[in-house]
Amino acid sequence: MARIARLVCLICVIVFSLGCAAAAPTPTPTPRPISYPTPRSIIPTPTPTPTPTMSPPTPLPLPLAPSSLMPAPLPANVVFHADFETPPAGNEWVSYNKGEIEGWKVEGTVDLTGTFWKAASGFQSVDLIGWSPGAIVREFSTIPGQTYELCFGVSGNPHGGDPIKIMEVWWNATLLDRIAVDITGRSLKQMGWAWRGYGFVAREQTARLKFQGVAGGSHWGPVLDDVTVAIG
């Protein structure tokens, strides 16, 4: 009986083994594709534009807009006013190539003109070109940091020469303006005077103001009158 039992057991083992071998293999799972998110474009963070640093404005002197075509009353805080009434020049003119006219030093040649034409103020004015281009210069004390104002009348000799008369205005070493005067249509009685105004902040204790005749023809240059410097 024991032998039969072992035989049956052996047969069962063989049958089980054959059954396992004949069983269908477990299918290999088909791999599913893995979906990855589409990479986004990397947008660089913009670099902020630096705000430009502005340099401080250049201190005065700076020219102001030309003043009205009519002279203004003298301000109360006048440093000086010059309308060139002395010495008297009569009904024509007196030429200067040195010396002074009413506190102004003469450079080159200028003509102090009397009633030959109508002045801007009073009876006399200065033609800044005599036999040759000339200039008048005046120095005066200033307070550093103080504001000053300059005003003057300008015209041109209508008696001859070039139609365009040119004058330069200097404050110390600074060229304030280069003024061209067209005398077309003007006469000895209708000079067409115009006034110019400028503002300054003094930097030194002394200022040097200069009016220079540049062009217009011999004896027929730009004409100056009614010069005022006042504390602003």
Side-chain angles (χ1 to χ4, degrees):
M1 291 294 294
R3 185 178 294 175
I4 294 173
R6 284 196 297 270
L7 180 61
V8 171
C9 183
L10 178 61
I11 292 171
C12 289
V13 172
I14 294 173
V15 171
F16 179 79
S17 299
L18 291 176
C20 290
T26 303
T28 303
T30 302
R32 291 181 300 171
I34 301 174
S35 177
Y36 294 95
T38 303
R40 293 181 299 174
S41 299
I42 299 176
I43 302 175
T45 302
T47 302
T49 303
T51 303
T53 302
M54 299 182 65
S55 301
T58 303
L60 295 176
L62 293 175
L64 303 176
S67 59
S68 66
L69 298 180
M70 296 298 294
L74 289 178
N77 49 353
V78 172
V79 177
F80 68 82
H81 173 250
D83 56 4
F84 309 107
E85 297 301 298
T86 56
N91 59 1
E92 291 191 350
W93 59 86
V94 177
S95 295
Y96 287 80
N97 60 7
K98 61 181 179 180
E100 292 187 352
I101 300 174
E102 208 174 77
W104 296 78
K105 182 180 178 180
V106 174
E107 297 180 354
T109 307
V110 301
D111 291 338
L112 178 62
T113 305
T115 56
F116 183 70
W117 56 54
K118 184 174 178 57
S121 172
F123 300 98
Q124 299 190 162
S125 54
V126 177
D127 186 335
L128 292 172
I129 298 182
W131 292 103
S132 61
I136 58 172
V137 181
R138 183 161 182 165
E139 294 186 356
F140 55 96
S141 298
T142 54
I143 301 172
Q146 177 65 59
T147 301
Y148 293 86
E149 296 176 354
L150 165 66
C151 181
F152 58 87
V154 61
S155 184
N157 187 334
H159 198 53
D162 301 330
I164 304 298
K165 318 295 184 180
I166 299 176
M167 175 176 69
E168 291 181 348
V169 186
W170 293 81
W171 180 281
N172 292 335
T174 301
L175 176 61
L176 297 181
D177 209 348
R178 184 179 174 92
I179 303 170
V181 180
D182 188 345
I183 64 167
T184 303
R186 303 189 185 188
S187 66
L188 300 179
K189 293 184 178 181
Q190 299 292 332
M191 291 287 287
W193 288 97
W195 275 256
R196 297 273 180 146
Y198 305 80
F200 316 89
V201 172
R203 300 175 183 171
E204 298 86 11
Q205 294 181 341
T206 302
R208 186 175 190 268
L209 178 60
K210 178 178 181 179
F211 295 93
Q212 172 79 54
V214 177
S218 178
H219 272 303
W220 301 292
V223 183
L224 175 70
D225 197 9
D226 195 21
V227 181
T228 302
V229 172
I231 296 176

